[in-house]
């Protein structure tokens, strides 16, 4: 327990009840007073901030909690918490009653957690065409979207923070068949603690959008936590369909040539050569099955050299 009296921004009186002060700081309250509080905190700006915070709390006759940096017995900078209440008297003095608590381990753990959280947030917001999320599925039957990256609103405009079914957190307005299949996959992931990897499509025609959802479940007390990634694969799916349509057109042309054939031949980096596509006319002209030359061009070379 600490009792302070301040005037004109300086401590003019200090009483410490118990031996905790010396245990905490490595020096007695009397030593601190003799040094004009120079040993209390470091650097100087931190000491001035602490005094200012105490005086401001006294002016409002309010209770306060102030985290500050102190100098430990070995000279290290350590975190403490000063919790108390303050008041001013008619002579302009500030009386402060409070306790000083060592929070160094807790504070440093929190700072590390904050740094990691900032790293995760920075990574989540930089994922192209995607977002990072965390869903908690409770044994009570409720689900909660406990984290969503900034761009999540663009991926799922109707996303919710709380719902009974995890699917409703993300795609409550999707078609029943889509919701049912995605719900089944999520439930299986949570029950069997297996990774979730599912590709699905919502909407029709111009509003159609394709997604890939990947998540890893973690078993926690009373819940399963799904840490996942939601990717918008709409453009990729459209490009894939367009490529497949073009390939089909070329195949139709190649298979209907009256006296010729169309092929695609690839030479690999290791020197190997193979056909990736041969039209139907190949068999008419050479008498060789297409499946045979798709594995090796040796039969075709033998035919040409005969």
């Amino acid at each position: 327990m600490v009792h302070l009296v301040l005037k004109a921004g300086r401590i003019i009186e200090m009483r410490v009840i118990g031996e905790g002060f010396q245990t905490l700081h490595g020096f007695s309250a009397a030593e601190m007073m003799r040094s004009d509080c120079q040993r209390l905190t470091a650097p100087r700006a931190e000491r001035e901030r602490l005094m200012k915070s105490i005086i401001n709390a006294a002016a409002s006759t309010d209770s306060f909690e102030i985290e500050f940096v102190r100098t430990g017995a070995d000279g290290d900078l350590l975190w403490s918490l000063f919790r108390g209440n303050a008041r001013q008297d008619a002579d302009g003095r500030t009386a402060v009653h409070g306790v000083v608590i060592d929070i160094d381990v807790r504070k440093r753990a929190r700072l590390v957690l904050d740094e990691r959280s900032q790293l995760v947030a920075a990574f989540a917001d930089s994922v192209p065409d995607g977002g990072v999320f965390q869903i908690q599925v409770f044994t009570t039957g409720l689900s909660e979207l406990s984290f969503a990256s900034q761009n999540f609103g663009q991926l799922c405009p109707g996303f919710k923070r709380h719902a009974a079914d995890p699917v409703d957190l993300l795609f409550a307005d999707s078609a029943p068949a889509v919701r049912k299949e995605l719900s089944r996959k999520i439930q299986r992931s949570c029950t069997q603690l297996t990774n979730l990897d599912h590709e699905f499509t919502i909407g029709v025609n111009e509003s159609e959008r394709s997604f890939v959802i990947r998540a890893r479940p973690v078993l926690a007390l009373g819940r399963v936590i799904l840490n996942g990634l939601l990717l918008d694969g709409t453009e990729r799916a459209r490009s894939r369909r367009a490529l497949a349509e073009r390939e089909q057109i070329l195949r139709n042309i190649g298979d209907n040539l009256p006296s010729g054939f169309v092929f695609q031949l690839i030479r690999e980096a290791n020197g190997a050569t193979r056909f990736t596509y041969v039209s139907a006319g190949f068999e008419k002209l050479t008498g060789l099955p297409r499946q045979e030359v798709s594995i090796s061009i040796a039969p075709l070379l033998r035919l040409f050299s005969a």
Side-chain angles (χ1 to χ4, degrees):
M1 179 73 70
V2 179
H3 170 74
L4 302 174
V5 177
L6 295 85
K7 189 170 184 179
R10 294 182 60 188
I11 298 178
I12 60 174
E13 181 183 331
M14 179 177 182
R15 293 198 307 273
V16 177
I17 301 174
E19 299 179 356
F21 185 92
Q22 183 156 352
T23 302
L24 191 64
H25 295 277
F27 52 86
S28 67
E31 289 180 85
M32 189 194 73
M33 290 297 293
R34 285 196 296 269
S35 71
D36 195 22
C37 301
Q38 296 299 311
R39 297 193 65 180
L40 178 59
T41 57
R44 180 178 177 180
E46 182 72 357
R47 183 168 56 254
E48 293 174 350
R49 184 185 69 84
L50 176 60
M51 295 302 177
K52 185 177 180 180
S53 299
I54 293 173
I55 293 171
N56 289 340
S60 60
T61 61
D62 198 3
S63 59
F64 61 86
E65 283 193 358
I66 306 168
E67 291 183 354
F68 67 97
V69 176
R70 60 184 169 84
T71 305
D74 55 1
D76 289 341
L77 298 181
L78 306 172
W79 284 96
S80 292
L81 173 69
F82 188 16
R83 176 185 295 155
N85 55 70
R87 61 179 177 81
Q88 283 186 324
D89 62 17
D91 295 330
R93 296 181 302 180
T94 302
V96 178
H97 303 275
V99 294
V100 179
I101 304 171
D102 183 2
I103 61 167
D104 190 66
V105 174
R106 184 180 68 188
K107 178 70 174 181
R108 291 182 187 276
R110 191 170 67 199
L111 290 174
V112 170
L113 181 61
D114 289 344
E115 290 174 359
R116 291 177 179 173
S117 298
Q118 291 170 8
L119 177 63
V120 170
F123 164 76
D125 294 336
S126 64
V127 175
D129 300 322
V132 176
F133 65 87
Q134 183 182 80
I135 291 177
Q136 300 192 62
V137 182
F138 296 92
T139 54
T140 58
L142 297 177
S143 300
E144 175 185 326
L145 183 63
S146 50
F147 175 80
S149 53
Q150 281 188 335
N151 51 357
F152 218 74
Q154 300 174 359
L155 295 169
C156 309
F159 79 89
K160 303 176 181 178
R161 290 292 180 180
H162 303 276
D165 193 322
V167 176
D168 292 336
L169 297 171
L170 307 178
F171 299 103
D173 300 329
S174 57
V178 174
R179 290 181 68 259
K180 182 178 180 181
E181 179 64 10
L182 183 53
S183 178
R184 186 181 70 82
K185 292 287 184 68
I186 292 176
Q187 291 297 337
R188 184 175 67 181
S189 176
C190 292
T191 303
Q192 300 179 5
L193 296 180
T194 55
N195 291 345
L196 171 65
D197 192 341
H198 181 54
E199 187 171 350
F200 59 99
T201 301
I202 63 173
V204 295
N205 300 327
E206 294 300 320
S207 63
E208 182 179 281
R209 299 180 68 189
S210 298
F211 292 95
V212 175
I213 184 170
R214 296 191 176 104
R216 173 175 293 182
V218 178
L219 184 63
L221 183 62
R223 66 196 188 281
V224 174
I225 302 173
L226 278 175
N227 298 309
L229 182 66
L230 182 67
L231 299 172
D232 187 344
T234 303
E235 292 304 319
R236 184 176 60 182
R238 288 173 180 171
S239 299
R240 197 164 53 219
R241 284 198 300 270
L243 180 61
E245 290 171 359
R246 292 193 192 101
E247 288 183 349
Q248 187 58 50
I249 292 173
L250 290 175
R251 289 175 185 272
N252 291 339
I253 294 173
D255 290 344
N256 289 283
L257 284 176
S259 56
F261 64 89
V262 176
F263 66 90
Q264 183 180 65
L265 186 67
I266 290 182
R267 184 177 179 82
E268 305 286 0
N270 60 6
T273 306
R274 62 186 177 89
F275 283 106
T276 57
Y277 169 68
V278 181
S279 65
F282 175 84
E283 295 181 356
K284 298 176 184 177
L285 290 175
T286 65
L288 297 173
R290 285 184 288 176
Q291 293 79 2
E292 189 173 341
V293 293
S294 66
I295 299 173
S296 171
I297 67 168
L300 183 61
L301 295 178
R302 286 197 297 270
L303 178 66
F304 288 162
S305 61

